[in-house]
Amino acid sequence: MGTHRKALRTTAVGAVSATLIAGGVLGFTPAAQAAQNSVRFVDIGGDGGTTLKANVVTPAGADGSRRYPLLVMPTSWGFPQVQYLAQAQKLSDSGYVVVAYNVRGFWQSGGAIEVAGPPDVADASKVIDWALANTPSDAGHIGMAGVSYGAGISLLAAAHDRRIKAVASLSGWADLIDSIYSGRTEHSEATALLDGVGQVTGRPSTETSQVFKDFFAADLSKEQELIDWGKKRSAATYVDQINKNGAAIMLANAWGDTIFPPNQIADFYGRLTGPKRLELRPGDHATAELTGLFGLPNDVWTDTERWFDHYLKGADNGIDREQPVELKSRSTGGYEGYPDWKSVGADRRKIDLAGTATVHANVDSGADGGIVFLSSILDQVAQLPPVASIPLLPRRWAAVWQSERYAGAQRVRGTARLHTTLTPTKESGTLVAYLYDVGPLGLGKLVTHAPYTWHGRTPGKAFDVDLDLFSTAYDVPAGHRLALVVDTVDPLYIEHNPSGAQLTFSSPVDDPSYVSVPLREQ
């Protein structure tokens, strides 16, 4: 296991990181375009005097006679400060002062990578202070926006700085632990990507390096420390303070985000009490926003500007009267509006998981969640999710249950839930549950999945498993069926099955096993 993890991290440094760095370099294309419009590159003193490299775009004709709404934009993980220049120019043309800054620890900014720790949150307030003192910004109309890392920092800043009146969090996280450690399972490929990019483009702090080391070691004695570290960096921890401060929060994420799965964002959205909006689209991490970074038409950035126009400029553009939950199906590409998250999957259909099935651990059955970025991007652009031949899955290593063929299309919306009774032969273990859309020839297209890990169980003693699969929007065609597959190995995750472990799934009469599938109302 240790050699595999080291190789995984090396791959992230040598390949995936290079791809993201290339994306950052490509960001200079719109930057050159924007540079013709009086962009200022400045140094801003962050928390503790740390130098933050930034750029400022001011509305044309600003002569000091009036004040403009301020937008502060922290960069994404591993990207340089020019990342937002195309959008900053558009926003500036619409009457905003935009300050985009390179977060501490990356590229030319000083300090070390703190993973949205207290220094990063304090930096956001320091940037606001600087902007109010050095630009024609309006102290009463301040917003923050960002993609990925910048999104998470923006949400955290809104909890700690009541001057922030509106936030657009794009492909961000609200619960860091539920993102990279959901189901008590290490999301190893996604976290290796973050670790690799951080090492190539920045300078991790001593604490950050140790956290990544403990994470990949899957050291159970460090689990609570990891959880505490993550909670400190999660907006969900401070949701009461965000509600008290009253900022208008827009959240936009992707169904297939392999770094920040959508469940934690949907849960966070439900806890917000102020003005709020939730948008979920096909794609992987930050892919839905990508074209907008090059100044191309983009739904996410269009709605971001509309959000700020209403809540910072008072524009009556109708965004506050629209359905606050906007979803785009992975299958049809059309938008659907809902009054709240619980209405998304208002109908539910159970698939009974009858009988008893025993699987042997430690072998990948062929049912997998795909490859970080690649699989969800293929699903986004070509509707080609990961596939598996359900009849050919080896039943020694995979348990399989199937529904009857559906007479009509089943529009899966929201969060499918698995309930089963599990009897392990070892005290620790990992399972991964997959929901497939199965066609007439037995080829299964992945609808959703999720991992689940346990520790400290008595071998041979049954216990209940309740697992929320990753939220999604997928249409199962008429004549197809749904299949639930459970195995024990997936390259996306670190598995905790001792050698020779076996898992037995049963469905007691007084507590039957099932998967509950959320469906859009017909």
Side-chain angles (χ1 to χ4, degrees):
M1 290 292 288
T3 302
H4 169 71
R5 292 176 195 135
K6 183 176 180 180
L8 188 61
R9 295 171 73 182
T10 302
T11 300
V13 174
V16 183
S17 326
T19 302
L20 292 182
I21 294 168
V25 172
L26 288 175
F28 281 87
T29 302
Q33 207 171 14
Q36 301 172 9
N37 297 282
S38 301
V39 176
R40 282 196 295 148
F41 290 86
V42 300
D43 290 351
I44 297 176
D47 184 53
T50 297
T51 298
L52 304 174
K53 295 293 182 177
N55 56 70
V56 182
V57 187
T58 306
D63 57 6
S65 63
R66 59 168 292 193
R67 295 283 168 175
Y68 300 88
L70 169 66
L71 293 179
V72 173
M73 304 177 73
T75 52
S76 301
W77 184 274
F79 279 82
Q81 58 172 309
V82 296
Q83 175 187 12
Y84 300 121
L85 273 178
Q87 284 301 321
Q89 180 61 43
K90 285 188 172 185
L91 290 163
S92 178
D93 288 345
S94 296
Y96 293 92
V97 172
V98 184
V99 180
Y101 70 95
N102 216 84
V103 291
R104 65 170 52 224
F106 285 102
W107 294 89
Q108 292 178 311
S109 283
I113 299 171
E114 302 289 348
V115 195
D120 292 297
V121 178
D123 284 345
S125 292
K126 291 289 188 180
V127 172
I128 292 173
D129 293 342
W130 182 92
L132 294 177
N134 295 277
T135 72
S137 300
D138 185 344
H141 299 84
I142 298 173
M144 286 193 67
V147 176
S148 184
Y149 195 40
I153 291 174
S154 295
L155 285 176
L156 287 162
H160 292 84
D161 193 329
R162 62 188 311 167
R163 296 175 296 178
I164 298 168
K165 304 302 182 184
V167 171
S169 169
L170 314 180
S171 287
W173 78 92
D175 188 326
L176 188 57
I177 292 302
D178 199 36
S179 296
I180 65 174
Y181 192 56
S182 72
R184 212 177 173 186
T185 309
E186 295 87 354
H187 295 212
S188 53
E189 278 196 9
T191 309
L193 185 149
L194 294 175
D195 185 22
V197 171
Q199 292 187 41
V200 170
T201 64
R203 301 165 300 282
S205 69
T206 300
E207 180 187 31
T208 297
S209 296
Q210 187 61 50
V211 166
F212 277 117
K213 180 180 179 181
D214 293 341
F215 181 91
F216 290 112
D219 185 349
L220 193 59
S221 69
K222 301 288 186 177
E223 182 181 42
Q224 191 57 52
E225 291 181 26
L226 172 68
I227 292 171
D228 293 342
W229 174 86
K231 283 184 175 180
K232 186 183 296 184
R233 291 159 170 81
S234 297
T237 302
Y238 312 102
V239 68
D240 291 342
Q241 193 61 42
I242 291 175
N243 290 333
K244 181 180 178 181
N245 289 347
I249 306 294
M250 172 181 157
L251 307 166
N253 280 62
W255 294 119
D257 196 319
T258 43
I259 297 180
F260 304 133
N263 298 47
Q264 44 92 31
I265 283 291
D267 290 344
F268 177 70
Y269 172 83
R271 297 174 61 194
L272 293 171
T273 59
K276 59 183 179 178
R277 182 178 178 91
L278 174 64
E279 300 183 355
L280 290 166
R281 297 174 173 83
D284 205 309
H285 185 65
T287 61
E289 301 88 4
L290 184 61
T291 57
L293 295 177
F294 295 91
L296 300 174
N298 181 279
D299 289 353
V300 184
W301 287 103
T302 296
D303 285 349
T304 295
E305 184 171 349
R306 293 175 63 224
W307 189 252
F308 288 132
D309 283 351
H310 180 75
Y311 287 103
L312 295 184
K313 295 165 69 174
D316 185 14
N317 56 18
I319 197 167
D320 58 319
R321 297 188 294 275
E322 296 173 0
Q323 296 278 39
V325 177
E326 291 283 333
L327 310 182
K328 192 173 186 180
S329 168
R330 292 165 51 201
S331 305
T332 65
Y335 282 100
E336 304 166 358
Y338 299 86
D340 49 43
W341 177 249
K342 67 180 180 181
S343 299
V344 171
D347 291 342
R348 283 194 169 266
R349 176 172 294 187
K350 287 185 178 180
I351 301 172
D352 293 330
L353 310 181
T356 299
T358 298
V359 298
H360 295 249
N362 312 119
V363 174
D364 189 341
S365 71
D368 287 321
I371 302 171
V372 168
F373 283 118
L374 176 61
S375 296
S376 291
I377 291 174
L378 284 174
D379 187 39
Q380 177 183 359
V381 301
Q383 296 183 7
L384 292 175
V387 299
S389 175
I390 304 304
L392 296 182
L393 290 176
R395 275 23 179 200
R396 177 180 176 84
W397 296 300
V400 180
W401 297 267
Q402 297 191 73
S403 70
E404 298 297 322
R405 287 190 176 89
Y406 296 114
Q410 306 295 298
R411 295 182 291 180
V412 179
R413 299 289 186 273
T415 309
R417 296 185 174 95
L418 168 66
H419 173 76
T420 189
T421 298
L422 171 62
T423 305
T425 60
K426 306 290 185 179
E427 68 173 16
S428 295
T430 297
L431 64 84
V432 186
Y434 310 87
L435 189 66
Y436 283 99
D437 159 25
V438 185
L441 299 180
L443 185 66
K445 295 183 177 181
L446 187 65
V447 177
T448 181
H449 78 288
Y452 179 90
T453 294
W454 64 93
H455 298 285
R457 293 290 180 175
T458 303
K461 184 176 180 180
F463 64 94
D464 290 342
V465 171
D466 289 288
L467 174 63
D468 283 355
L469 277 61
F470 298 141
S471 303
T472 195
Y474 181 98
D475 292 358
V476 179
H480 287 211
R481 64 180 79 205
L482 285 169
L484 182 81
V485 177
V486 182
D487 71 2
T488 64
V489 176
D490 190 308
L492 290 173
Y493 311 109
I494 293 177
E495 52 95 3
H496 295 264
N497 298 294
S499 179
Q502 297 180 33
L503 313 180
T504 297
F505 301 93
S506 58
S507 183
V509 175
D510 59 346
D511 186 20
S513 297
Y514 60 85
V515 58
S516 174
V517 181
L519 301 176
R520 183 184 178 190
E521 285 184 323
Q522 300 299 317

